Amino acid sequence: MATHDRGLVKSQVSGVTVRALTRRFGERTVLDGIDLTIPDGQFVALLGRSGSGKSTLLRALAGLDYDVAGEGSLRVPTKTSVVFQDSRLLPWQRVLANVLYGQPRSRRDAGVKVLSEVGLAGRENAWPGELSGGEQQRVSLARSLVGEPDLLLADEPFGALDALTRIKMHALLRDLIRRHRPTVLLVTHDVDEAVALADRVIVLDEGRLTVDIPVDLPGERDPSLPAFQHIRRTLLTALGVAPVAV
């Protein structure tokens, strides 16, 4: 069964298919005939300069930008969730209620379980204001996964966190993806983050996808590995940044 919203099609199949997607803001073309396929279960990181259209593409896939959907075709899973850079928690709701927002009451046990998975067991009745920024983003991740989505869209979810917290969140996200196995599109400005997390990295430049690189690295993806550095240099060059040795 499929549901339609202009050019956006939500169906029971997993994975993402985008064809000839264009988005204009007045005279400016932000997305210019984008074609993209993400197979079921793949983790893709999307890089690009500020204003390149990364978040515009993500919003189209999330069904939050109908003008984009109206100028191309998109097929995404019905069960899609989004996690943003800020946690967007409801301050008047306790942690578990935030996780279960929009979910049926029957998902309560699932909410408790996923809070444990993100390291917040026993914090179900805490208020968002009692949590650190990293803890709030853990709640946001729990909320995005409690409904077992087939597609997880992440718009710079760790961009506001300090460097050490980001490293911890990277490890957490890898673990959560192994557990829940959604297809993932991660928008990020951080090349190292993209290479550390994704199965594949793509670059959006002047409205078009210009680079598409598989990331086939073993283990915990040590940034000092030559293969990691090779991919990093390729991506930095594509972004117009002079690579810096690590």
Side-chain angles (χ1 to χ4, degrees), residues 8 30 53 61 108 118 122 159 187 203:
L8 178 68
V30 177
L61 295 175
R108 186 184 188 282
V118 300
V187 168
V203 175

Side-chain angles (χ1 to χ4, degrees), residues 11 32 37 54 86 97 99 121 133 148 154 178-180 185 235:
S11 65
D32 188 7
T37 300
K54 302 184 302 298
D86 53 12
V99 170
E148 296 297 340
R178 281 193 293 265
R179 289 172 182 264
H180 295 270
L185 178 65
L235 293 170

Side-chain angles (χ1 to χ4, degrees), residues 113-173:
K113 179 181 178 183
V114 75
L115 276 172
S116 177
E117 291 175 355
V118 300
L120 292 175
R123 304 300 302 277
E124 295 86 357
N125 292 319
W127 296 102
E130 298 172 350
L131 305 179
S132 68
E135 289 172 332
Q136 290 182 17
Q137 202 63 349
R138 287 171 184 259
V139 176
S140 180
L141 279 173
R143 180 177 58 194
S144 71
L145 292 169
V146 69
E148 296 297 340
D150 294 311
L151 173 63
L152 176 64
L153 301 170
D155 193 0
E156 299 192 65
F158 312 131
L161 304 178
D162 64 81
L164 292 178
T165 303
R166 284 172 70 107
I167 292 171
K168 293 178 182 178
M169 294 297 283
H170 290 169
L172 174 63
L173 183 60

Side-chain angles (χ1 to χ4, degrees), residues 23-127:
R23 178 55 159 119
R24 297 181 180 88
F25 293 93
E27 298 292 320
R28 182 177 174 229
T29 300
V30 177
L31 301 177
D32 188 7
I34 296 291
D35 290 327
L36 174 65
T37 300
I38 305 177
D40 178 25
Q42 189 174 70
F43 190 137
V44 174
L46 175 61
L47 290 168
R49 298 181 181 91
S50 294
S52 63
K54 302 184 302 298
S55 293
T56 300
L57 177 56
L58 182 140
R59 286 174 57 83
L61 295 175
L64 299 174
D65 188 339
Y66 298 120
D67 289 328
V68 173
E71 296 193 20
S73 65
L74 306 91
R75 183 177 294 272
V76 300
T78 301
K79 295 173 65 176
T80 296
S81 66
V82 186
V83 58
F84 297 96
Q85 182 173 355
D86 53 12
S87 63
R88 303 197 178 188
L89 302 183
L90 302 175
W92 58 87
Q93 296 276 16
R94 296 184 187 271
V95 163
L96 182 57
N98 269 283
V99 170
L100 294 175
Y101 184 78
Q103 298 289 328
R105 291 185 179 181
S106 60
R107 299 296 296 170
R108 186 184 188 282
D109 288 348
V112 172
K113 179 181 178 183
V114 75
L115 276 172
S116 177
E117 291 175 355
V118 300
L120 292 175
R123 304 300 302 277
E124 295 86 357
N125 292 319
W127 296 102

